[in-house]
Amino acid sequence: MTIADAVLYDVTEAGVAVITLNRPQRMNSWGPDISAGLYGAVDDAEADPAVRVIVLTGTGRGFCAGADLGGAGSIDEAVGDGGTDVSTLVGERHPHFLTTLRKPVIAAINGACIGIGLTHALMCDIRFSAAGAKFATAFSRRGLIAEYGISWILPRLAGWGAAMDLLLSGRTFVAEEAHQLGLINDVVAADRLMERALDYAEDMAANCSPASLAVIKRQAYDDAIDEVARVSARAEALMQESLTRPDLIEGITSFLEKRRPRFPPLGE
């Protein structure tokens, strides 16, 4: 399978880029072809002014069932006589790169979401899941550690106690528990997953200012590790900037005229 086949890319008329991991025979396990395909698709979505929201999903029974533990282009090539080069398997970017994008990323978790697949899902901004989908950190059961930022994001989403349970035990849990823990925004029947995710994404694309989305996303992730006085001061400066953008006039005018806003695309 080529890199182009491993990740599918499509843009809806409403301005939503749908990126689909496409190795169903291996439950979309993570390897060089998946990583390269994802990076290329995300770069295309970020650069395209017609794209306002990104949806990430998978084909078949898995969203991403962790690292590819067998076959060509897998972990076998990353671990050898010369030592271990994890970057060979993981790729050039760590999962937290999803938090640095200017556009919102929604995960539509169609099935198994394990290990590095879970880390990527948690680094998305919003998560919907098919009912019964299986989740696990799994690292402790593979002789690994909490990888690539999951020890940062998981406690923020689920709280310290739940995060330590999931990280230390490596146990399997399902979408319904993930929802209770705050890891998932909504759980729906599998045949309604993409409808739910696209409805949400297209509403955001149609009614939210791309400039506002980009700033709010940066605020949320940057402010999470800063002190409140500095956060408030930055917010005041950003608010002043927002008052100079045409998005503000359009947002107020469309509200008063009771019509859908026509926000300009995200600039450079």
Side-chain angles (χ1 to χ4, degrees):
M1 177 177 285
T2 67
I3 288 175
D5 295 327
V7 176
L8 307 178
Y9 181 77
D10 186 45
V11 179
T12 73
E13 292 183 1
V16 177
V18 180
I19 300 174
T20 307
L21 307 185
N22 186 42
R23 297 180 71 203
Q25 72 279 13
R26 299 197 66 82
M27 297 184 72
N28 303 316
S29 54
W30 190 266
D33 54 352
I34 287 281
S35 62
L38 176 62
Y39 303 150
V42 166
D43 288 346
D44 287 345
E46 272 282 272
D48 185 351
V51 171
R52 300 195 172 202
V53 183
I54 299 168
V55 171
L56 177 61
T57 191
T59 54
R61 297 183 299 115
F63 174 77
C64 176
D68 188 353
L69 299 178
S74 71
I75 201 169
D76 295 336
E77 297 179 1
V79 182
D81 294 337
T84 302
D85 182 6
V86 178
S87 64
T88 301
L89 176 65
V90 174
E92 64 189 32
R93 307 179 201 179
H94 292 182
H96 72 82
F97 89 95
L98 294 171
T99 70
T100 69
L101 302 179
R102 299 184 301 165
K103 299 174 182 180
V105 184
I106 299 170
I109 302 169
N110 55 297
C113 186
I114 314 294
I116 195 169
L118 177 59
T119 305
H120 277 89
L122 297 183
M123 294 297 180
C124 294
D125 305 304
I126 304 290
R127 286 160 295 279
F128 299 119
S129 178
K134 294 183 178 180
F135 295 75
T137 63
F139 308 121
S140 63
R141 301 192 178 209
R142 305 292 182 268
L144 297 169
I145 52 84
E147 64 185 16
Y148 296 108
I150 196 171
S151 58
W152 180 86
I153 192 67
L154 187 55
R156 283 169 165 77
L157 294 173
W160 190 263
M164 293 304 289
D165 163 34
L166 300 177
L167 288 169
L168 294 176
S169 72
R171 66 180 177 85
T172 298
F173 56 105
V174 295
E176 289 73 12
E177 182 180 358
H179 184 231
Q180 292 176 349
L181 293 174
L183 301 182
I184 302 298
N185 295 83
D186 196 11
V187 177
V188 299
D191 61 359
R192 288 196 56 245
L193 177 63
M194 286 306 295
E195 177 187 358
R196 177 72 172 94
L198 286 173
D199 282 350
Y200 185 96
E202 290 178 353
D203 176 75
M204 186 184 293
N207 295 298
C208 298
S209 158
S212 294
L213 292 174
V215 173
I216 290 170
K217 181 168 175 174
R218 187 174 77 245
Q219 284 181 281
Y221 291 107
D222 288 352
D223 294 351
I225 56 175
D226 206 347
E227 187 266 332
V228 66
R230 285 193 294 269
V231 167
S232 184
R234 279 199 304 272
E236 183 178 15
L238 291 169
M239 178 63 76
Q240 292 299 321
E241 289 180 16
S242 72
L243 297 177
T244 68
R245 287 196 292 266
D247 302 60
L248 176 66
I249 294 174
E250 174 60 16
I252 294 173
T253 302
S254 62
F255 174 76
L256 294 175
E257 294 179 353
K258 296 181 172 57
R259 61 169 173 81
R260 178 166 287 183
R262 294 185 290 270
F263 291 119
L266 192 61
E268 295 297 327

